Amino acid sequence: MTPEELKNISQTSCGVLRNMGPDIQWVHSYVTGDKIYCIYNAPDEEMIREHARQGASLQTL
């Protein structure tokens, strides 16, 4: 991924987190050659999956 792509993904993720409220918090991300692995604090797995769904839908706009 290019630096610009990483920046766009990060900005999208932060926007989704703001909209979802304080129950989900980003902790850290690991960037590999073709993937990003993120660590979150959240009350349940479904909230993390919802963050991923919302982020993916915004990236395709």
Side-chain angles (χ1 to χ4, degrees), residues 5-61:
E5 288 171 322
L6 289 171
K7 178 182 174 186
N8 289 340
I9 290 168
S10 174
Q11 288 175 335
T12 298
S13 177
C14 288
V16 170
L17 288 171
R18 275 192 301 278
N19 288 336
M20 291 183 73
D23 289 338
I24 182 170
Q25 299 171 346
W26 170 77
V27 176
H28 190 79
S29 294
Y30 299 92
V31 179
T32 66
D34 62 345
K35 293 186 181 192
I36 301 172
Y37 297 91
C38 300
I39 309 299
Y40 295 93
N41 286 326
D44 56 43
E45 181 180 341
E46 182 53 34
M47 185 167 256
I48 296 170
R49 291 186 184 280
E50 181 59 27
H51 173 267
R53 280 190 288 273
Q54 289 185 33
S57 68
L58 290 175
Q59 287 293 321
T60 59
L61 292 178

